[in-house]
């Protein structure tokens, strides 16, 4: 697994969903584009990116040609399941390579407190499979860490020890961590992971 070549990202990167409210190009050094906005079900039941290369991608989102792009993959389950269903057969990974993106986070397949443990393990396996496929293709990959139990956190600790080239991780705080106590606990665990 790899990270952006220079090993760093800005503290804040604006997320761009479309270009419809801008007349000219947005001149920003970095922009984040959600994966579900980048990949779509198209006519004739095909699935793939809305752009064929980096220039058309930046044009489609009204971005300056020099803007560096990170594709962020956390999304609602329906979009993640659509991605999972098509990402190998539609040659999605190769199509993403042609878009000149600087990094991509791994989709965050859901973990549920009220589901059997096997469900979370299956979804973690899917995240790892996608990370392997992205990385093997040469996409700068940022793993997504889903964790709701202590054993999940211990798994990620071992994973990061084993994958010493991983320099960045992604953790989504919007859905499962809306409780201030849970959010603070997850934040403290991220600090422990870094240590």
């Amino acid at each position: 697994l790899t990270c952006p070549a220079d090993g760093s990202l800005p503290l804040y990167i604006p997320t761009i969903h479309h270009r419809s409210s801008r007349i000219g190009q947005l001149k920003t050094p970095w922009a984040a584009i959600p994966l579900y906005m980048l990949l779509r079900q198209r006519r004739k039941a095909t699935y793939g990116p809305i752009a064929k290369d980096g220039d058309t991608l930046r044009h489609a989102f009204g971005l300056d040609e020099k803007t560096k792009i990170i594709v962020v993959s956390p999304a609602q389950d329906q979009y993640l399941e659509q991605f999972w269903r098509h990402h190998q057969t539609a040659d999605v990974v190769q199509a993403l390579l042609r878009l000149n993106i600087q990094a991509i986070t791994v989709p965050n397949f859901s973990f549920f407190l009220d589901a059997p443990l096997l469900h979370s393990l299956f979804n973690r396996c899917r995240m790892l499979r996608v990370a392997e496929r992205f990385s093997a293709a040469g996409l700068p990959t940022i793993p997504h860490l889903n964790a709701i139990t202590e054993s999940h956190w211990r798994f990620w600790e071992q994973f990061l020890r084993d994958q010493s080239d991983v320099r960045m991780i992604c953790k989504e705080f919007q859905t499962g961590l809306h409780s201030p106590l849970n959010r603070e606990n997850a934040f403290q665990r991220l600090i422990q992971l870094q240590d």
Side-chain angles (χ1 to χ4, degrees), residues 72-93:
V72 290
S73 301
Q76 294 177 350
D77 288 335
Q78 66 191 36
Y79 298 114
L80 297 177
E81 295 304 328
Q82 185 180 48
F83 169 82
W84 178 256
R85 186 169 50 256
H86 296 291
H87 83 282
Q88 286 184 282
T89 57
D91 202 21
V92 168
V93 176

mmCIF file of all heavy atoms in Angstrom, residues 72-93:
data_model
loop_
_atom_site.group_PDB
_atom_site.id
_atom_site.type_symbol
_atom_site.label_atom_id
_atom_site.label_comp_id
_atom_site.label_asym_id
_atom_site.label_seq_id
_atom_site.Cartn_x
_atom_site.Cartn_y
_atom_site.Cartn_z
ATOM 1 N N VAL A 72 -12.214 10.375 -2.336
ATOM 2 C CA VAL A 72 -12.633 9.934 -1.008
ATOM 3 C C VAL A 72 -13.801 8.965 -1.166
ATOM 4 O O VAL A 72 -14.782 9.263 -1.823
ATOM 5 C CB VAL A 72 -12.972 11.120 -0.084
ATOM 6 C CG1 VAL A 72 -11.707 11.879 0.301
ATOM 7 C CG2 VAL A 72 -13.951 12.081 -0.734
ATOM 8 N N SER A 73 -13.666 7.803 -0.558
ATOM 9 C CA SER A 73 -14.599 6.715 -0.833
ATOM 10 C C SER A 73 -15.699 6.484 0.193
ATOM 11 O O SER A 73 -16.616 5.723 -0.089
ATOM 12 C CB SER A 73 -13.814 5.422 -1.038
ATOM 13 O OG SER A 73 -12.908 5.582 -2.114
ATOM 14 N N PRO A 74 -15.664 7.059 1.408
ATOM 15 C CA PRO A 74 -16.810 6.855 2.299
ATOM 16 C C PRO A 74 -18.104 7.321 1.633
ATOM 17 O O PRO A 74 -18.150 8.382 1.014
ATOM 18 C CB PRO A 74 -16.481 7.717 3.521
ATOM 19 C CG PRO A 74 -14.988 7.745 3.558
ATOM 20 C CD PRO A 74 -14.593 7.799 2.098
ATOM 21 N N ALA A 75 -19.133 6.483 1.746
ATOM 22 C CA ALA A 75 -20.404 6.790 1.092
ATOM 23 C C ALA A 75 -21.505 5.948 1.715
ATOM 24 O O ALA A 75 -21.239 5.058 2.533
ATOM 25 C CB ALA A 75 -20.315 6.499 -0.406
ATOM 26 N N GLN A 76 -22.735 6.224 1.305
ATOM 27 C CA GLN A 76 -23.862 5.406 1.744
ATOM 28 C C GLN A 76 -23.703 4.004 1.171
ATOM 29 O O GLN A 76 -23.121 3.794 0.102
ATOM 30 C CB GLN A 76 -25.164 6.036 1.282
ATOM 31 C CG GLN A 76 -25.449 7.371 1.933
ATOM 32 C CD GLN A 76 -26.725 8.005 1.392
ATOM 33 O OE1 GLN A 76 -27.296 7.557 0.414
ATOM 34 N NE2 GLN A 76 -27.155 9.072 2.046
ATOM 35 N N ASP A 77 -24.282 3.051 1.885
ATOM 36 C CA ASP A 77 -24.105 1.641 1.518
ATOM 37 C C ASP A 77 -24.515 1.340 0.079
ATOM 38 O O ASP A 77 -23.866 0.534 -0.583
ATOM 39 C CB ASP A 77 -24.883 0.741 2.483
ATOM 40 C CG ASP A 77 -24.239 0.688 3.861
ATOM 41 O OD1 ASP A 77 -23.024 0.925 3.948
ATOM 42 O OD2 ASP A 77 -24.949 0.417 4.839
ATOM 43 N N GLN A 78 -25.572 1.961 -0.427
ATOM 44 C CA GLN A 78 -26.017 1.645 -1.794
ATOM 45 C C GLN A 78 -24.929 1.934 -2.820
ATOM 46 O O GLN A 78 -24.751 1.177 -3.776
ATOM 47 C CB GLN A 78 -27.281 2.417 -2.146
ATOM 48 C CG GLN A 78 -27.070 3.926 -2.225
ATOM 49 C CD GLN A 78 -28.361 4.707 -2.321
ATOM 50 O OE1 GLN A 78 -29.351 4.328 -1.725
ATOM 51 N NE2 GLN A 78 -28.340 5.780 -3.076
ATOM 52 N N TYR A 79 -24.163 3.017 -2.630
ATOM 53 C CA TYR A 79 -23.084 3.351 -3.561
ATOM 54 C C TYR A 79 -21.894 2.414 -3.394
ATOM 55 O O TYR A 79 -21.242 2.038 -4.368
ATOM 56 C CB TYR A 79 -22.644 4.800 -3.374
ATOM 57 C CG TYR A 79 -23.741 5.788 -3.655
ATOM 58 C CD1 TYR A 79 -24.257 6.582 -2.637
ATOM 59 C CD2 TYR A 79 -24.283 5.933 -4.927
ATOM 60 C CE1 TYR A 79 -25.268 7.494 -2.887
ATOM 61 C CE2 TYR A 79 -25.299 6.834 -5.182
ATOM 62 C CZ TYR A 79 -25.786 7.610 -4.160
ATOM 63 O OH TYR A 79 -26.795 8.501 -4.410
ATOM 64 N N LEU A 80 -21.614 2.046 -2.135
ATOM 65 C CA LEU A 80 -20.502 1.125 -1.886
ATOM 66 C C LEU A 80 -20.790 -0.259 -2.459
ATOM 67 O O LEU A 80 -19.909 -0.903 -3.032
ATOM 68 C CB LEU A 80 -20.229 1.027 -0.382
ATOM 69 C CG LEU A 80 -19.792 2.327 0.296
ATOM 70 C CD1 LEU A 80 -19.621 2.106 1.786
ATOM 71 C CD2 LEU A 80 -18.527 2.873 -0.323
ATOM 72 N N GLU A 81 -22.029 -0.693 -2.303
ATOM 73 C CA GLU A 81 -22.394 -2.007 -2.848
ATOM 74 C C GLU A 81 -22.363 -1.998 -4.377
ATOM 75 O O GLU A 81 -21.969 -2.978 -5.002
ATOM 76 C CB GLU A 81 -23.760 -2.451 -2.327
ATOM 77 C CG GLU A 81 -23.792 -2.693 -0.829
ATOM 78 C CD GLU A 81 -22.773 -3.705 -0.346
ATOM 79 O OE1 GLU A 81 -22.442 -4.649 -1.101
ATOM 80 O OE2 GLU A 81 -22.287 -3.559 0.798
ATOM 81 N N GLN A 82 -22.762 -0.897 -4.984
ATOM 82 C CA GLN A 82 -22.692 -0.777 -6.443
ATOM 83 C C GLN A 82 -21.234 -0.844 -6.898
ATOM 84 O O GLN A 82 -20.897 -1.532 -7.868
ATOM 85 C CB GLN A 82 -23.342 0.529 -6.892
ATOM 86 C CG GLN A 82 -23.417 0.688 -8.385
ATOM 87 C CD GLN A 82 -24.072 2.006 -8.777
ATOM 88 O OE1 GLN A 82 -23.721 3.065 -8.253
ATOM 89 N NE2 GLN A 82 -25.015 1.944 -9.696
ATOM 90 N N PHE A 83 -20.363 -0.132 -6.180
ATOM 91 C CA PHE A 83 -18.930 -0.183 -6.485
ATOM 92 C C PHE A 83 -18.413 -1.616 -6.368
ATOM 93 O O PHE A 83 -17.726 -2.119 -7.262
ATOM 94 C CB PHE A 83 -18.147 0.746 -5.551
ATOM 95 C CG PHE A 83 -16.663 0.540 -5.631
ATOM 96 C CD1 PHE A 83 -15.925 1.123 -6.642
ATOM 97 C CD2 PHE A 83 -16.010 -0.277 -4.719
ATOM 98 C CE1 PHE A 83 -14.557 0.903 -6.744
ATOM 99 C CE2 PHE A 83 -14.647 -0.496 -4.808
ATOM 100 C CZ PHE A 83 -13.918 0.097 -5.822
ATOM 101 N N TRP A 84 -18.726 -2.289 -5.268
ATOM 102 C CA TRP A 84 -18.238 -3.651 -5.052
ATOM 103 C C TRP A 84 -18.720 -4.587 -6.157
ATOM 104 O O TRP A 84 -17.968 -5.410 -6.663
ATOM 105 C CB TRP A 84 -18.680 -4.165 -3.684
ATOM 106 C CG TRP A 84 -18.254 -5.573 -3.430
ATOM 107 C CD1 TRP A 84 -19.041 -6.692 -3.486
ATOM 108 C CD2 TRP A 84 -16.931 -6.027 -3.105
ATOM 109 N NE1 TRP A 84 -18.283 -7.816 -3.212
ATOM 110 C CE2 TRP A 84 -16.993 -7.427 -2.975
ATOM 111 C CE3 TRP A 84 -15.713 -5.387 -2.918
ATOM 112 C CZ2 TRP A 84 -15.881 -8.199 -2.659
ATOM 113 C CZ3 TRP A 84 -14.597 -6.156 -2.605
ATOM 114 C CH2 TRP A 84 -14.685 -7.534 -2.478
ATOM 115 N N ARG A 85 -19.960 -4.431 -6.538
ATOM 116 C CA ARG A 85 -20.550 -5.306 -7.555
ATOM 117 C C ARG A 85 -19.833 -5.158 -8.895
ATOM 118 O O ARG A 85 -19.658 -6.116 -9.627
ATOM 119 C CB ARG A 85 -22.040 -4.971 -7.702
ATOM 120 C CG ARG A 85 -22.803 -5.883 -8.622
ATOM 121 C CD ARG A 85 -24.325 -5.696 -8.528
ATOM 122 N NE ARG A 85 -24.798 -4.328 -8.623
ATOM 123 C CZ ARG A 85 -25.220 -3.584 -7.589
ATOM 124 N NH1 ARG A 85 -25.230 -4.069 -6.364
ATOM 125 N NH2 ARG A 85 -25.634 -2.348 -7.771
ATOM 126 N N HIS A 86 -19.370 -3.944 -9.225
ATOM 127 C CA HIS A 86 -18.839 -3.683 -10.563
ATOM 128 C C HIS A 86 -17.328 -3.459 -10.640
ATOM 129 O O HIS A 86 -16.787 -3.442 -11.738
ATOM 130 C CB HIS A 86 -19.510 -2.434 -11.151
ATOM 131 C CG HIS A 86 -20.973 -2.582 -11.371
ATOM 132 N ND1 HIS A 86 -21.507 -3.413 -12.329
ATOM 133 C CD2 HIS A 86 -22.028 -2.000 -10.755
ATOM 134 C CE1 HIS A 86 -22.825 -3.333 -12.305
ATOM 135 N NE2 HIS A 86 -23.163 -2.494 -11.351
ATOM 136 N N HIS A 87 -16.661 -3.265 -9.520
ATOM 137 C CA HIS A 87 -15.293 -2.734 -9.608
ATOM 138 C C HIS A 87 -14.307 -3.645 -10.328
ATOM 139 O O HIS A 87 -13.319 -3.163 -10.877
ATOM 140 C CB HIS A 87 -14.769 -2.323 -8.228
ATOM 141 C CG HIS A 87 -14.214 -3.425 -7.407
ATOM 142 N ND1 HIS A 87 -15.013 -4.322 -6.720
ATOM 143 C CD2 HIS A 87 -12.937 -3.790 -7.161
ATOM 144 C CE1 HIS A 87 -14.250 -5.171 -6.080
ATOM 145 N NE2 HIS A 87 -12.986 -4.880 -6.324
ATOM 146 N N GLN A 88 -14.543 -4.949 -10.357
ATOM 147 C CA GLN A 88 -13.624 -5.822 -11.081
ATOM 148 C C GLN A 88 -14.060 -6.046 -12.533
ATOM 149 O O GLN A 88 -13.255 -5.957 -13.444
ATOM 150 C CB GLN A 88 -13.504 -7.165 -10.369
ATOM 151 C CG GLN A 88 -12.690 -7.072 -9.098
ATOM 152 C CD GLN A 88 -12.508 -8.429 -8.478
ATOM 153 O OE1 GLN A 88 -13.412 -8.938 -7.840
ATOM 154 N NE2 GLN A 88 -11.343 -9.013 -8.685
ATOM 155 N N THR A 89 -15.329 -6.307 -12.725
ATOM 156 C CA THR A 89 -15.793 -6.619 -14.076
ATOM 157 C C THR A 89 -15.799 -5.403 -14.991
ATOM 158 O O THR A 89 -15.638 -5.536 -16.194
ATOM 159 C CB THR A 89 -17.203 -7.238 -14.045
ATOM 160 O OG1 THR A 89 -18.090 -6.331 -13.386
ATOM 161 C CG2 THR A 89 -17.203 -8.556 -13.297
ATOM 162 N N ALA A 90 -15.980 -4.224 -14.449
ATOM 163 C CA ALA A 90 -16.026 -3.011 -15.277
ATOM 164 C C ALA A 90 -14.643 -2.385 -15.460
ATOM 165 O O ALA A 90 -14.523 -1.294 -16.005
ATOM 166 C CB ALA A 90 -16.987 -1.996 -14.666
ATOM 167 N N ASP A 91 -13.589 -3.044 -14.978
ATOM 168 C CA ASP A 91 -12.227 -2.524 -15.113
ATOM 169 C C ASP A 91 -12.094 -1.135 -14.497
ATOM 170 O O ASP A 91 -11.420 -0.256 -15.028
ATOM 171 C CB ASP A 91 -11.828 -2.508 -16.593
ATOM 172 C CG ASP A 91 -10.321 -2.510 -16.774
ATOM 173 O OD1 ASP A 91 -9.608 -2.910 -15.828
ATOM 174 O OD2 ASP A 91 -9.859 -2.089 -17.845
ATOM 175 N N VAL A 92 -12.767 -0.953 -13.375
ATOM 176 C CA VAL A 92 -12.810 0.345 -12.711
ATOM 177 C C VAL A 92 -11.426 0.789 -12.244
ATOM 178 O O VAL A 92 -11.060 1.959 -12.383
ATOM 179 C CB VAL A 92 -13.797 0.305 -11.523
ATOM 180 C CG1 VAL A 92 -13.656 1.518 -10.637
ATOM 181 C CG2 VAL A 92 -15.223 0.196 -12.042
ATOM 182 N N VAL A 93 -10.640 -0.126 -11.696
ATOM 183 C CA VAL A 93 -9.333 0.251 -11.160
ATOM 184 C C VAL A 93 -8.445 0.808 -12.270
ATOM 185 O O VAL A 93 -7.793 1.847 -12.100
ATOM 186 C CB VAL A 93 -8.672 -0.944 -10.441
ATOM 187 C CG1 VAL A 93 -7.279 -0.581 -9.968
ATOM 188 C CG2 VAL A 93 -9.536 -1.390 -9.260
#
